[in-house]
Amino acid sequence: PQYARATYQLPPHIDATKSSVAYGVGALPKINTELKTGDLVTKQRALCSLCDLVRNPEHVKNSVDSGVLVSLRDLLAHEDDTGRLKSTEGCVHTSSHALGRRAIIDQDCLVPLAKACADKGLSIRINAHGALDRSTQYPSSGAGALVENKIVQFLVDKIATDDDAVKEIALDTLYNVLRVDVAAALFAKAIPVLVVLLAGPPAIARKSARNISCISFDPVGKLE
């Protein structure tokens, strides 16, 4: 008799690059467990599934409550390029929600994100800067935390030297910081960097001018 030949191919509706997602509120706890596993492929699939979920702000609270953000924070320095890329992407999606931005600050993610801003991968740097920028939209806490953690000097250095796509985001972050603490930017010698960028592409020149204007409202900034 003829028997059907078994196949190892997955059904067409199953994505092999993502982990299977549990139903309802169990989805994110399961993903968080997979993020902590030692198997690289399992981590990568879990990260892909996570990014699909937290792209919807409705899932951000459950993600934070499940400890996913702490796992992402620990993966920001992972040796695998895909792991770092998807971890920063997860942070960007998390920072799209006010609760997520608050969690990024409270769960000490700002410094690891700042370190990711120096990654060799441009997409990783853009994601990391995006998460930082959104997190500083809480002026009194996010921007203040950047000052407290001495990240402003690093931010100014990236504005001076990085790719134009990164500079645009970093200039927005610096503007959020300036609304809280001009002194930190002055100490980081931000004005000479901003003046040079006035001759750059229109979007960068416009944001540089805005930041210089913000500095000039401060009495000490006027003297510079």
Side-chain angles (χ1 to χ4, degrees):
Q2 296 294 319
Y3 295 98
R5 178 178 296 178
T7 177
Y8 291 103
Q9 291 184 344
L10 292 171
H13 64 283
I14 295 179
D15 188 344
T17 66
K18 300 173 184 176
S19 61
S20 57
V21 178
Y23 179 74
V25 295
L28 285 158
K30 177 178 181 291
I31 285 176
N32 193 38
T33 300
E34 293 174 342
L35 291 176
K36 296 177 181 179
T37 185
D39 181 67
L40 178 59
V41 174
T42 301
K43 282 182 189 291
Q44 291 175 339
R45 289 175 174 173
L47 284 166
C48 290
S49 296
L50 171 67
C51 289
D52 279 352
L53 282 175
V54 294
R55 187 175 286 110
N56 183 343
E58 291 181 0
H59 296 294
V60 171
K61 183 179 187 304
N62 191 15
S63 171
V64 172
D65 292 344
S66 300
V68 168
L69 188 57
V70 175
S71 297
L72 288 178
R73 181 193 67 196
D74 296 340
L75 289 170
L76 289 172
H78 197 276
E79 61 184 11
D80 176 60
D81 292 351
T82 301
R84 297 196 308 279
L85 175 62
K86 301 306 288 187
S87 297
T88 53
E89 183 183 333
C91 289
V92 170
H93 294 322
T94 300
S95 66
S96 67
H97 192 288
L99 187 149
R101 292 193 288 272
R102 180 75 257 176
I104 285 174
I105 298 164
D106 292 342
Q107 297 186 17
D108 300 323
C109 296
L110 292 178
V111 171
L113 279 169
K115 291 180 179 178
C117 290
D119 196 278
K120 62 182 181 181
L122 176 59
S123 296
I124 295 173
R125 299 201 304 274
I126 289 174
N127 284 344
H129 274 284
L132 280 181
D133 177 42
R134 289 180 175 180
S135 298
T136 56
Q137 291 174 12
Y138 272 112
S140 61
S141 52
L146 255 64
V147 175
E148 292 171 9
N149 286 284
K150 304 186 186 306
I151 298 174
V152 178
Q153 179 66 67
F154 171 80
L155 188 65
V156 172
D157 291 342
K158 299 302 290 182
I159 290 172
T161 61
D162 214 321
D163 188 271
D164 284 353
V166 171
K167 287 179 181 179
E168 283 197 49
I169 306 171
L171 283 166
D172 288 336
T173 308
L174 181 62
Y175 178 71
N176 294 335
V177 171
L178 290 172
R179 293 164 61 194
V180 174
D181 192 325
V182 170
L186 292 175
F187 183 79
K189 307 297 183 183
I191 289 183
V193 172
L194 295 172
V195 169
V196 169
L197 293 179
L198 290 175
I204 291 176
R206 183 173 62 252
K207 292 182 179 184
S208 298
R210 179 190 60 179
N211 286 355
I212 293 173
S213 176
C214 189
I215 292 173
S216 69
F217 280 104
D218 184 89
V220 178
K222 283 183 170 67
L223 300 177
E224 295 292 324

